[in-house]
Amino acid sequence: MIMDYLRKTFERRPKECYIETLPDEILLKVFKNLSTRWLCRALLVSKHWKRVGEDPSLWRRFPLAVGSQKVKNLADILKCARFCHLEQLLLMSFDPYDCEESNIDTKAIQQSSIKRLEIRFVDMRTNMREVSMLGQSLSALTIHCCPIEQDQADEMFSKFKEGTSLRELCIINPLINGTEENTAGDGLSKVSPDTLGKGLAKIRCVKLHEVCLTVAQINMILTCIDNEDAALKSLDVYDSINSKLSEASSKLLASSLNKLESLTMYNACLGRKTLPFLEKMAEETQLQHLNFRSNSLRGLHPGILARAFYSLTSLNIEDTDITSFQSEAFFQNLKENGGNQLKYVAIGHNDLSSIDPQTFAGALKNIAKVNINATSITKDQVEALFKEILIKSSLKELNLSTNDFSSVDTTLMARAINKLEKAFMFYTGLTEYQVEEILNLGLKETNLLHLDLRHNLSKNSPNKLTKYIRSYVDEILL
């Protein structure tokens, strides 16, 4: 439609600048396909383009960041034509000693169209006292490394407990009651377990990193998740120092965590409590996404792992110290069940070299996104996988990094890699000839959008890399 209009206009008025005669609705459609960078450039073309380019619909999802120099004008910024429908805002890095200039107008945010707010490195004790008010207007809130008073934290979770519009809450390293000796302070550990648990239960997606949860708080959160009325369906919990998850109720862990839809428990150190959780998962679970990275699975019966992960659509078990028997059972189950429902699997930093090549390839070919980084896979295994990619495969994104492919068939590898959409092959010991074959095929035809070949070529490589500017691959990292 747009091209027909341009052609007819140019035929009627060949000497005029037909770009200037484009109707606003057509310009708007064009502008919606531009990145923010190119949209900003388009606004400089003419007054007509600037007027159309200021349309609020074009800037609704613009990631606006406001620092200390502009925060005093926040209310005016949010009211300007361009940002009157703005949905996300980042506030960051304010001077705790300049309260007057750095004070954040919470009401201006509450009365705006902002739905997603991230607060980063802001001293909320002086610059944002009324943060609890935002739980009534936002859909997503992130608080990252912000000094905050205990009474502010208590009030915030009390408000959540009463009811909130929030669907996503992310709190990372809240600096509560910090001292010169312990700048991290108490985290959320002094918030009442009942208030914290019931407040979080009102929010669908919760991420808590480095918040110093106590055993009583963890058990209360789990108890609230177990309640059928709980809105909480996605939980991401991580405390790198003195994690108390292993001390929580084993029965509650097994029951409540399987009522979630998404769970991330990186390095949770559950120990023996991993078994009842996975046994319950094998029987009945609502989990679709599980990130269990850096939790040891060694010692668990291979059959339990295969059954527990059967109904997932996304699984991360990187660095879980699985044995050859466990990995063989897991891959055999994937092959026999056509990948089950899995769309993404990450099993990196485990030794997979003992798996039969045909089982290895047959298990992974039906999964869209696979990460087998640093798995000591053999030449026969990877060549079997490449052959499956060329025949028929659902694979779109593959991370093969930190494995040795120097002896892998070059032509086979080049053809298979160019069938993917994203390929990560850094630190794979590729020869210059192998790299050149992969890149040369990308000059002819390829499905690749992103190719990462870093740390293979030496700085003194004789390859003429400039010719690959013409490649069909959108992004190449060398």
Side-chain angles (χ1 to χ4, degrees), residues 291-338:
N291 186 339
F292 214 59
R293 179 173 179 170
S294 298
N295 289 282
S296 178
L297 296 176
R298 180 176 285 268
L300 297 178
H301 191 279
I304 291 176
L305 293 185
R307 293 196 309 274
F309 302 149
Y310 181 80
S311 62
L312 295 172
T313 58
S314 171
L315 172 65
N316 187 329
I317 49 171
E318 290 187 89
D319 189 27
T320 47
D321 195 28
I322 56 177
T323 65
S324 58
F325 295 109
Q326 289 173 316
S327 61
E328 287 164 11
F330 175 67
F331 273 77
Q332 186 64 43
N333 179 269
L334 283 182
K335 181 183 178 183
E336 290 175 356
N337 294 284

Side-chain angles (χ1 to χ4, degrees), residues 71-86:
V71 71
K72 61 184 178 183
N73 302 317
L74 182 61
D76 294 331
I77 292 172
L78 296 178
K79 287 178 183 177
C80 77
R82 182 184 297 185
F83 296 136
C84 66
H85 292 165
L86 190 70

Side-chain angles (χ1 to χ4, degrees), residues 418 420-423 439 442-443 445-452 468-478:
N418 278 280
L420 302 169
E421 292 180 359
K422 290 185 178 182
L439 295 174
L443 288 170
E445 60 173 322
T446 185
N447 295 331
L448 277 172
L449 301 173
H450 178 94
L451 175 61
D452 191 340
Y468 301 116
I469 292 173
R470 297 182 289 106
S471 176
Y472 288 104
V473 184
D474 284 357
E475 185 174 18
I476 302 174
L477 300 179
L478 292 169

Side-chain angles (χ1 to χ4, degrees), residues 82 95 125 191 250 259 326 339-340 348 351 381 392 476:
R82 182 184 297 185
D95 185 353
R125 299 169 300 182
V191 178
S250 181
K259 290 186 177 180
Q326 289 173 316
N340 304 332
D351 188 348
Q381 286 174 319
K392 187 178 180 181
I476 302 174

Side-chain angles (χ1 to χ4, degrees), residues 11-33:
E11 287 172 354
R12 287 199 307 267
R13 297 189 294 265
K15 293 184 180 180
E16 294 182 20
C17 181
Y18 60 88
I19 292 288
E20 281 298 322
T21 66
L22 281 175
D24 289 0
E25 58 271 21
I26 292 181
L27 261 183
L28 198 58
K29 285 186 177 181
V30 174
F31 286 170
K32 283 181 179 178
N33 291 307

